[in-house]
């Protein structure tokens, strides 16, 4: 047994959540190990919807263009009647992009393609997942976690400052911590299968038996592939034949058509739908992210997106504490993310109920652009302020012009692992410069010009006010020029204290 290798963070599980966290840590120079007990990457399409807010996250991580190139837009829904006729409609409410919200529609990208792009990004940053490596046990103390691993080269003991369980709904880490996972089984069992088939065109999401749980079936062409995804409810008991022949028979039975033939099955699963939420996301030096912390029905395409954003929230906080910030910063992870998961579970359950009635329309409620942390301990502003955005809100985008004349976007300025401090019509900087903080002034004698008034409209700041944007694109603080001491105190709590002569 290999003894006592060390790292800052041990991540158990290399799905979307684990990969997001690894990318976040890698670009901040934090040491980590990313392990995955599976011998090969996941090859299914269970999570295929990339919501607008996650598109913003992926832009920050440097992978959005590759994600877009892998997938495509959701096709129209084609609902077939019993006589073979059909009607078509958009399942996604069509909206135009706005300066503050550049991404306005969900993308369809099969999960295995999304995770493939994330692994490529991680390699660019000098890391890769360790496949076939399983966490078999761990103990923690005041300074770290001692974990036992079993991999291709044998057993190993590793010492980490923190352990993150990104290991799915049956999480070994959650069970080992004896963290409760209350909720309910929703009384719906379903299949999802990625298949090669003939008999249907690829320009629509074909739906049969809508509103009838005994006959309902959907066949969706998977963007970026030659595959279709088959989805449908199945009896609560009994074995399902998920072979090509078995799925062909199921399709024939529910559609009344014999021309649709399944020729090969790439991946298939039969599962019971649950809505469950972990009692806590942190216990000492161990954290839960993604499906390890919450599980839900797939309706609304919220799961992968919520998991990615869990890791996106935790990553910068782990990096800050690793660099010297107060450990209490890590408590804000559960404080901010657990209420979001609770709301997401309620939304997905409501959408499932609507689906059983044949209602498949989706709107802004699934985009996750309105998610924020207004009650967070990391939200600082005067209680009486009533601007367009508040501390804890997602920071809107805005077209701007650099003082030298080149166009830019606010998202270009906040992209990366740094904090961003933006002053509106401010005469001088609210605080001195320091590592990890980029300071910009918008307006007269500033380095940025708001020619179209988009920043003014989105933020509604008074002249001399400053907005502090966190590394994850949420507003940390809104202060006036006379509140420099409050801003300094805030920055110190997140590891951005003033630079001293000794430094």
């Amino acid at each position: 047994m290999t003894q006592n290798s060390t790292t800052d963070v041990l991540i158990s599980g290399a799905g979307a959540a684990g990969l997001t966290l690894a990318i976040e840590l890698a670009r901040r120079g934090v040491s980590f190990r990313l392990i995955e007990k599976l011998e090969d990457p996941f090859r299914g399409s269970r999570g295929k919807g990339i919501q607008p807010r996650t598109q913003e996250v992926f832009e920050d991580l440097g992978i959005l263009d590759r994600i877009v190139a892998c997938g495509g837009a959701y096709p129209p829904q084609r609902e077939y009647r019993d006589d073979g006729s059909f009607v078509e409609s958009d399942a996604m409410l069509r909206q135009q992009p706005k300066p503050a919200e550049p991404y306005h529609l969900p993308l369809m990208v099969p999960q295995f393609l999304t995770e493939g792009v994330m692994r490529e990004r991680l390699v660019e940053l000098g890391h890769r997942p360790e496949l076939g490596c399983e966490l078999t046990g761990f103990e923690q103390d005041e300074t770290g976690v001692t974990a036992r691993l079993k991999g291709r080269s044998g057993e190993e003991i590793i010492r980490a400052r923190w352990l993150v369980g990104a290991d799915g709904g049956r999480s070994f880490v959650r069970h080992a911590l004896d963290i409760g996972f209350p909720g309910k089984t929703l009384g719906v069992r379903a299949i999802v299968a990625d298949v090669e088939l003939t008999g249907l065109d690829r320009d629509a999401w074909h739906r049969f038996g809508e509103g009838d749980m005994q006959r309902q079936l959907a066949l969706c062409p998977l963007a970026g592939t030659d595959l279709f995804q088959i989805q449908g409810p199945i009896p609560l008991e009994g074995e399902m034949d998920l072979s090509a022949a078995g799925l062909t028979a199921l399709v024939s039975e529910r559609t009344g058509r014999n021309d649709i033939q399944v020729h090969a099955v790439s991946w298939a699963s039969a599962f019971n739908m649950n809505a469950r939420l972990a009692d806590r996301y942190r216990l000492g030096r161990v954290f839960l992210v993604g499906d390890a912390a919450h599980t839900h029905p797939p309706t609304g395409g919220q799961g992968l997106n919520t998991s990615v954003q869990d890791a996106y929230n935790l990553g910068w906080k782990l990096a800050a504490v690793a660099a010297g910030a107060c450990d209490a910063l890590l408590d804000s992870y559960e404080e901010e993310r657990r209420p979001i998961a609770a709301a997401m579970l309620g939304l997905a359950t409501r959408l499932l109920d609507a689906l059983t009635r044949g209602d498949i329309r989706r709107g802004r409620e699934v985009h996750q652009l309105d998610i924020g942390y207004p009650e967070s301990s990391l939200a600082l502003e005067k209680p009486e302020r009533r601007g367009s955005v508040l501390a804890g809100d997602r920071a809107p985008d805005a077209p701007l012009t650099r003082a030298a004349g080149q166009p830019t976007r606010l998202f270009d300025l906040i992209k990366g692992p740094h904090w961003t401090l933006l002053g509106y019509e401010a005469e001088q900087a609210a605080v001195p410069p320091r590592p990890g903080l980029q300071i910009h002034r918008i307006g007269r004698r500033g380095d940025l010009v708001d020619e179209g008034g988009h920043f003014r409209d989105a933020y509604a700041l008074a002249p001399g006010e400053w907005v502090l944007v966190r590394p994850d694109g949420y507003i940390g603080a809104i202060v006036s020029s006379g509140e420099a001491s409050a801003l300094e105190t805030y920055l110190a709590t997140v590891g951005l204290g003033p630079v001293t002569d000794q430094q």
Side-chain angles (χ1 to χ4, degrees), residues 49-62:
I50 308 298
Q51 301 295 346
R53 175 55 189 158
T54 304
Q55 293 171 43
E56 295 178 354
V57 173
F58 284 169
E59 180 181 13
D60 182 40
L61 298 182

Side-chain angles (χ1 to χ4, degrees), residues 58 153 191 194 206 227 288 329 340 420 468:
F58 284 169
S153 58
I191 61 163
D194 299 344
H206 307 272
L227 302 171
L288 301 176
L329 177 63
I340 298 301
T420 308
L468 178 68

Side-chain angles (χ1 to χ4, degrees), residues 361-476:
R361 294 277 292 176
R362 303 286 183 265
R364 185 181 176 89
E365 74 276 5
V366 303
H367 291 179
Q368 300 199 349
L369 291 169
D370 298 322
I371 286 174
Y373 313 119
E375 304 301 321
S376 171
S377 58
L378 297 181
L380 171 67
E381 68 179 327
K382 289 183 176 180
E384 65 272 17
R385 187 178 186 276
R386 292 293 181 267
S388 300
V389 293
L390 304 174
D393 289 348
R394 162 193 166 274
D397 196 7
L400 296 165
T401 303
R402 297 180 186 273
Q406 298 84 7
T408 190
R409 295 165 57 208
L410 184 57
F411 276 9
D412 291 332
L413 303 177
I414 66 177
K415 183 188 301 183
H418 58 272
W419 291 73
T420 308
L421 184 60
L422 303 164
Y424 182 67
E425 297 289 355
E427 294 296 325
Q428 58 186 12
V431 295
R434 66 207 62 199
L437 177 67
Q438 294 190 9
I439 304 175
H440 299 279
R441 289 188 294 133
I442 300 170
R444 293 166 297 176
R445 294 187 294 279
D447 58 309
L448 298 164
V449 182
D450 184 25
E451 288 185 341
H454 296 294
F455 181 86
R456 177 199 63 213
D457 294 344
Y459 286 83
L461 298 179
E465 284 191 318
W466 291 82
V467 57
L468 178 68
V469 182
R470 301 172 6 167
D472 57 358
Y474 288 89
I475 296 172

Side-chain angles (χ1 to χ4, degrees), residues 136-199:
T136 60
F138 63 89
E139 297 85 29
Q140 62 173 313
D141 54 41
E142 292 184 357
T143 61
V145 179
T146 301
R148 297 182 295 279
L149 310 182
K150 183 178 180 181
R152 294 170 176 172
S153 58
E155 296 184 347
E156 176 187 359
I157 293 178
I158 181 173
R159 181 72 174 171
R161 293 177 68 179
W162 298 283
L163 167 65
V164 178
D167 50 349
R170 295 185 175 91
S171 173
F172 171 81
V173 173
R174 189 187 66 242
H175 283 290
L177 293 173
D178 196 26
I179 291 177
F181 202 41
K184 60 183 178 179
T185 298
L186 300 175
V188 177
R189 186 173 176 232
I191 61 163
V192 58
D194 299 344
V195 305
E196 298 176 14
L197 63 75
T198 54

Side-chain angles (χ1 to χ4, degrees), residues 45 191-195 222 228-231 242 247 265 267-269:
S45 64
I191 61 163
V192 58
D194 299 344
V195 305
L222 287 173
F228 277 78
Q229 183 189 76
I230 299 177
Q231 298 171 303
L242 299 179
L247 290 172
V265 180
W267 169 80
S269 175

Side-chain angles (χ1 to χ4, degrees), residues 43-351:
R43 56 189 180 90
S45 64
R46 182 181 290 119
K48 65 180 183 295
I50 308 298
Q51 301 295 346
R53 175 55 189 158
T54 304
Q55 293 171 43
E56 295 178 354
V57 173
F58 284 169
E59 180 181 13
D60 182 40
L61 298 182
I63 60 174
L64 179 61
D65 290 331
R66 280 177 274 187
I67 291 289
V68 173
C70 279
Y74 274 75
Q77 307 278 334
R78 184 176 295 172
E79 297 180 52
Y80 291 84
R81 304 185 181 99
D82 290 342
D83 63 3
S85 63
F86 60 82
V87 294
E88 285 194 358
S89 62
D90 284 327
M92 305 298 172
L93 180 65
R94 297 287 172 177
Q95 296 178 322
Q96 293 300 312
K98 305 173 184 177
E101 298 175 354
Y103 309 114
H104 60 294
L105 287 175
L107 293 171
M108 180 191 289
V109 188
Q111 185 172 342
F112 68 91
L113 293 180
T114 296
E115 292 181 359
V117 170
M118 298 175 84
R119 286 192 297 273
E120 290 176 359
R121 179 64 177 138
L122 191 58
V123 170
E124 292 172 355
L125 294 168
H127 301 269
R128 63 179 68 245
E130 300 176 39
L131 299 176
C133 185
E134 182 177 4
L135 176 68
T136 60
F138 63 89
E139 297 85 29
Q140 62 173 313
D141 54 41
E142 292 184 357
T143 61
V145 179
T146 301
R148 297 182 295 279
L149 310 182
K150 183 178 180 181
R152 294 170 176 172
S153 58
E155 296 184 347
E156 176 187 359
I157 293 178
I158 181 173
R159 181 72 174 171
R161 293 177 68 179
W162 298 283
L163 167 65
V164 178
D167 50 349
R170 295 185 175 91
S171 173
F172 171 81
V173 173
R174 189 187 66 242
H175 283 290
L177 293 173
D178 196 26
I179 291 177
F181 202 41
K184 60 183 178 179
T185 298
L186 300 175
V188 177
R189 186 173 176 232
I191 61 163
V192 58
D194 299 344
V195 305
E196 298 176 14
L197 63 75
T198 54
L200 291 173
D201 58 47
R202 298 185 62 85
D203 61 357
W205 189 334
H206 307 272
R207 309 189 76 102
F208 300 84
E210 289 300 322
D212 183 347
M213 291 294 285
Q214 303 301 315
R215 297 178 50 237
Q216 201 172 90
L217 196 71
L219 298 99
C220 177
L222 287 173
T225 77
D226 295 325
L227 302 171
F228 277 78
Q229 183 189 76
I230 299 177
Q231 298 171 303
I234 57 175
L236 292 175
E237 304 293 339
E239 293 295 320
M240 290 298 301
D241 183 355
L242 299 179
S243 68
L247 290 172
T248 296
L250 178 69
V251 170
S252 177
E253 174 188 351
R254 297 203 180 182
T255 66
R257 293 172 52 170
N258 296 319
D259 60 322
I260 305 172
Q261 298 289 315
V262 177
H263 301 286
V265 180
S266 174
W267 169 80
S269 175
F271 63 98
N272 289 296
M273 294 190 188
N274 291 278
R276 299 187 181 278
L277 179 62
D279 283 336
R280 55 195 306 179
Y281 280 22
R282 179 189 189 186
L283 185 57
R285 289 184 166 268
V286 185
F287 299 84
L288 301 176
V289 298
D291 288 351
H294 43 77
T295 187
H296 46 83
T299 41
Q302 301 295 284
L304 180 145
N305 297 272
T306 303
S307 297
V308 164
Q309 292 175 50
D310 284 347
Y312 190 58
N313 183 288
L314 179 60
W316 71 265
K317 296 173 181 177
L318 283 171
V321 176
C326 178
D327 180 80
L329 177 63
L330 296 175
D331 291 331
S332 68
Y333 164 63
E334 177 179 322
E335 174 192 10
E336 293 182 345
R337 292 303 301 170
R338 193 172 180 276
I340 298 301
M344 179 273 297
L345 292 175
L347 172 62
T349 302
R350 291 193 300 275
L351 292 175

